[in-house]
Amino acid sequence: MNRINRLSPRLANQIAAGEVVERPASVLKELLENSLDAGARRVDIEVEQGGKKLLRVRDDGGGIHKDDLALALSRHATSKIARPEDLAAIASLGFRGEALASIGSVSRLELSSRAAEADSETGWTVRAEGQQMETSLAPCQHGVGATVEVRDLFFNTPARKKFLKTERTEFGRIDEVLKRLALSRFDVQFNLRHNQRTVHELRPALDELDQRRRIGLVCGPAFLENSVEVDQRAAGLRLWGWISLPAFSRSQADLQYFYVNGRIVRDKIVSHAIRQAYQDVLYHGRHPAYVLFLELDAAAVDVNVHPTKHEVRFRDSRLVHDFLFRSLHRELADVKPEARGTDQVLPETSGEASERGVAQTALPLRDAAPVREPGGEYRFAAQTPPANPAGTPEQYAKLFGGGEESPPLGYALAQLHGVYILAQNRDGLIVVDMHAAHERITYERMKQALDGESLRRQNLLVPLSLAVSEAEADCAEAHREGLLALGLELEHVAAESVVVRQVPALLKDGDIERLVRDVLSDLLEFGSSDRLENRRNELLSTMACHGSVRANRRLGIDEMNALLRDMEATERSGQCNHGRPTWVWQSMDELDKLFLRGR
Ligand code: ADP
Ligand code: MG
């Protein structure tokens, strides 16, 4: 049997490094977090060979006192917390006091700094050497702030070094880390150079326009054009940022940034709530894109859950789930044609475009609503004047009996190949996918009709008895009323068993056992379940699809106009039930550009 001995500081630090220092990108994350914690307004990052050879971060923050430099490199040394109570409400990004020690144990690290309150004009450099990580201090030239230089990562731990990928891959991850932090702090300037080439120069973004510009630079212009802004508050929580329109979904979940009090997190509660909000509008298997910031009292969230601090624990996770879902669901429901123009402003053309957008939203919707016959056919009840497709929308509107102004989706001109409606509004051309649009309208109507009357329940001829866990049975009991309102009656008959007596009539032919089990596990984990609603909506969606205008049916001009007006008045009408767009818009400016025509 071996005797016990104490690990050398370097070895102990290398073990700690195993958890947080996985690759150059994780080093950069720690260094950037330190700069931001130090109040930096500008950070310069220099990278060589994907960070494998060199990573240098220089900032203009508060710096480190000369006498503290050696301490900064040792484990369990931090200026961010001091007492056990501090752990309950952490306001800084770091607090564990081990990043520099860990990184220093697996690389050649040099820390230089001059503290803001230092009385001399010089700075000091510190490095730690040998198994004992003994520190040596030397004067150097340095402005106020700090520089951390990390060379030859994993030079002394070859096993780890082997896991590093190509220079390109490692740099890609570095870039991603920078983007995450750059989105979390619009007020800070970030510059990044790789192999002497400038990759990012993100100037401070203090007003809304600059913030949008940074979003465009980091997430790409397409995201900016196809997103809407969110800003919601309730119950001491605030959610703000940008979310993609459903039609701009992605095949990967790669454009998803969620921050809790400025810290990027990956969280099950959060992603579930967002998915649920998009549920009804997103094409199957696609992912939404978003940059979202959740702000709440620091004491309401625990960040001391995981060494990399990517996970958090909410004190009231159900409240957070509910707030996220409701806020986003509302925003997405509001995506109707009228919103177009204001929310889709490119940075270069923002001035002109937002003027146009404002003019467009100011347009009143025509209140002379068309009459739709029970069969779902579009027809105007009144004797309508003949259409005059060739005239201006204003002339046409006059003929039509509407106001002077044209509605957002304008007036129909013609039907193209039995599939698309061509319409003109004040600013250009609208093309509508007739079937997709009608399908959404029918679906939303059916949902509303069903929401209106209380859900019909159906008794099961033979009540279904299910063996469940005690926690699930208790949960069924606790949510009894809520489930009943959704049409599901569960009875708690024994410690580990429930009986299903009634189900929503619409779902009676489905796999009820599976449904009930899924609902209970959702309720246990998230405090709410959307399964019943989802199943019901899936069914309605299928019904709506079959009941909608099929392609190649001729619509009269009046019918087409009625459809356009219905779209303007229907929630989520920008996408069909499968998340595809229902209409597109080309402005006169865009058309002019196609024809190289100056106006
Ligand atoms: P933590 O961030 O968890 O406190 P670190 O090992 O990352 O632990 O850093 C140790 C300490 O060194 C920090 O608490 C901070 O006081 C100081 N420090 C590190 N980087 C900087 C910096 N860029 N500017 C000012 N102080 C720094
Ligand atoms: Mg730190």
Side-chain angles (χ1 to χ4, degrees):
M1 195 69 131
N2 284 338
R3 299 293 304 273
I4 298 174
N5 57 51
R6 191 169 287 283
L7 299 176
S8 72
R10 184 171 293 268
L11 192 51
N13 286 335
Q14 284 176 342
I15 292 169
E19 287 185 302
V20 286
V21 190
E22 203 189 342
R23 47 180 13 105
S26 33
V27 172
L28 181 66
K29 170 183 178 284
E30 295 295 336
L31 300 185
L32 285 179
E33 288 188 351
N34 280 344
S35 295
L36 296 176
D37 280 344
R41 303 308 298 263
R42 174 183 167 149
V43 185
D44 288 281
I45 306 152
E46 185 82 42
V47 178
E48 276 175 35
Q49 297 178 11
K52 294 194 258 190
K53 177 151 182 258
L54 169 78
L55 254 174
R56 187 191 299 123
V57 174
R58 184 193 176 107
D59 68 54
D60 63 354
I64 303 168
H65 193 283
K66 178 191 166 197
D67 300 340
D68 287 351
L69 275 172
L71 210 50
L73 298 192
S74 70
R75 194 143 159 246
H76 301 154
T78 179
S79 56
K80 297 168 194 176
I81 56 173
R83 299 160 309 159
E85 307 85 273
D86 297 341
L87 268 184
I90 292 167
S92 54
L93 294 168
F95 59 87
R96 300 172 57 97
E98 49 186 18
L100 290 185
S102 302
I103 298 166
S105 73
V106 293
S107 69
R108 302 184 213 277
L109 181 145
E110 219 174 73
L111 167 63
S112 313
S113 177
R114 186 164 110 209
E117 65 273 17
D119 34 21
S120 82
E121 291 290 288
T122 38
W124 293 88
T125 297
V126 67
R127 62 178 99 193
E129 267 143 351
Q131 276 312 105
Q132 296 308 312
M133 293 195 75
E134 270 158 19
T135 52
S136 56
L137 207 59
C140 72
Q141 286 303 315
H142 203 287
V144 172
T147 301
V148 180
E149 191 178 281
V150 175
R151 287 186 183 275
D152 307 323
L153 185 63
F154 299 142
F155 79 96
N156 53 358
T157 48
R160 299 225 91 187
K161 196 170 179 175
K162 265 198 260 160
F163 281 99
L164 293 184
K165 301 273 170 12
T166 62
E167 176 172 334
R168 235 187 89 189
T169 306
E170 294 300 337
F171 184 74
R173 306 209 182 186
I174 283 180
D175 195 47
E176 185 57 30
V177 163
L178 177 83
K179 286 175 172 177
R180 287 182 190 166
L181 281 147
L183 289 176
S184 80
R185 288 293 299 273
F186 287 105
D187 56 327
V188 176
Q189 166 152 9
F190 293 89
N191 299 328
L192 171 65
R193 287 163 62 78
H194 187 211
N195 298 337
Q196 269 95 50
R197 253 193 43 249
T198 296
V199 181
H200 288 292
E201 252 177 20
L202 301 170
R203 272 168 293 142
L206 300 176
D207 58 21
E208 215 182 297
L209 192 69
D210 283 343
Q211 288 186 6
R212 294 184 63 87
R213 190 166 284 139
R214 181 174 287 195
I215 292 279
L217 286 171
V218 172
C219 304
F223 172 69
L224 195 58
E225 282 165 54
N226 292 290
S227 60
V228 287
E229 271 176 61
V230 178
D231 196 351
Q232 304 265 352
R233 289 165 207 258
L237 305 169
R238 180 182 177 208
L239 180 72
W240 65 280
W242 292 265
I243 58 174
S244 61
L245 294 167
F248 176 74
S249 59
R250 298 172 71 82
S251 60
Q252 289 181 348
D254 58 346
L255 225 166
Q256 303 187 335
Y257 298 92
F258 195 94
Y259 300 83
V260 176
N261 289 345
R263 180 193 302 280
I264 191 144
V265 301
R266 262 176 276 138
D267 184 85
K268 267 208 314 211
I269 301 277
V270 168
S271 40
H272 184 269
I274 298 178
R275 236 183 310 123
Q276 196 172 325
Y278 272 92
Q279 166 71 36
D280 209 15
V281 289
L282 210 57
Y283 195 63
H284 184 71
R286 306 282 298 176
H287 301 273
Y290 49 83
V291 179
L292 284 171
F293 303 90
L294 175 67
E295 289 168 9
L296 73 175
D297 183 5
V301 47
D302 187 0
V303 295
N304 187 21
V305 184
H306 193 266
T308 60
K309 298 164 283 175
H310 270 319
E311 285 168 31
V312 291
R313 196 177 291 132
F314 296 109
R315 215 170 47 189
D316 190 345
S317 58
R318 291 177 181 189
L319 174 76
V320 171
H321 184 279
D322 192 56
F323 172 65
L324 294 179
F325 168 72
R326 277 173 204 279
S327 306
L328 299 178
H329 188 71
R330 190 67 254 147
E331 292 288 343
L332 289 167
D334 280 344
V335 178
K336 290 183 233 171
E338 29 167 354
R340 177 89 206 197
T342 32
D343 293 313
Q344 292 153 2
V345 181
L346 270 172
E348 305 82 54
T349 58
S350 55
E352 175 204 344
S354 52
E355 259 167 48
R356 190 171 58 211
V358 169
Q360 205 171 348
T361 34
L363 291 178
L365 288 182
R366 250 188 44 156
D367 40 20
V371 175
R372 210 167 40 87
E373 286 164 4
E377 304 282 284
Y378 280 90
R379 191 144 299 142
F380 271 106
Q383 69 300 14
T384 44
N388 175 14
T392 67
E394 285 75 14
Q395 286 167 332
Y396 184 54
K398 238 180 236 163
L399 267 179
F400 221 75
E404 296 280 311
E405 308 255 46
S406 108
L409 290 179
Y411 294 103
L413 300 171
Q415 193 178 3
L416 187 69
H417 290 293
V419 178
Y420 298 109
I421 295 172
L422 304 184
Q424 72 172 326
N425 73 357
R426 243 180 41 164
D427 306 302
L429 172 74
I430 308 268
V431 183
V432 173
D433 178 335
M434 205 168 84
H435 173 69
H438 189 206
E439 196 178 307
R440 167 60 76 177
I441 291 168
T442 314
Y443 174 49
E444 291 293 331
R445 284 223 173 95
M446 289 169 91
K447 275 200 299 185
Q448 258 177 16
L450 262 187
D451 288 341
E453 68 178 74
S454 67
L455 271 172
R456 239 170 13 96
R457 273 177 277 156
Q458 169 123 6
N459 276 318
L460 291 182
L461 280 179
V462 185
L464 179 67
S465 175
L466 291 182
V468 294
S469 73
E470 209 172 320
E472 285 170 329
D474 289 344
C475 179
E477 180 69 33
H479 287 90
R480 196 183 153 76
E481 290 301 311
L483 289 172
L484 208 54
L486 289 170
L488 195 61
E489 184 183 350
L490 298 184
E491 198 183 330
H492 187 179
V493 289
E496 299 192 336
S497 138
V498 293
V499 167
V500 189
R501 300 206 177 279
Q502 289 189 323
V503 296
L506 208 55
L507 302 180
K508 67 177 193 308
D509 298 323
D511 181 347
I512 291 169
E513 169 164 0
R514 174 90 192 276
L515 179 72
V516 172
R517 288 192 185 284
D518 287 350
V519 165
L520 288 180
S521 89
D522 276 2
L523 284 175
L524 268 184
E525 188 162 8
F526 305 113
S528 71
S529 175
D530 53 0
R531 307 246 178 203
L532 287 167
E533 210 189 325
N534 286 350
R535 291 288 153 80
R536 194 197 75 183
N537 287 352
E538 270 167 30
L539 266 172
L540 290 185
S541 168
T542 317
M543 283 156 62
C545 183
H546 292 298
S548 299
V549 190
R550 290 269 141 216
N552 281 319
R553 198 172 89 62
R554 290 248 145 253
L555 290 185
I557 290 278
D558 299 345
E559 291 177 301
M560 293 192 254
N561 279 318
L563 183 64
L564 295 178
R565 300 296 80 77
D566 273 357
M567 285 174 71
E568 284 156 359
T570 302
E571 291 191 338
R572 291 174 275 269
S573 67
Q575 307 82 39
C576 77
N577 305 342
H578 313 292
R580 292 184 294 262
T582 53
W583 62 283
V584 295
W585 174 63
Q586 283 264 297
S587 69
M588 285 309 282
D589 289 347
E590 285 163 335
L591 289 171
D592 286 346
K593 264 186 219 140
L594 280 179
F595 296 99
L596 309 174
R597 185 175 155 166
R599 281 216 296 171

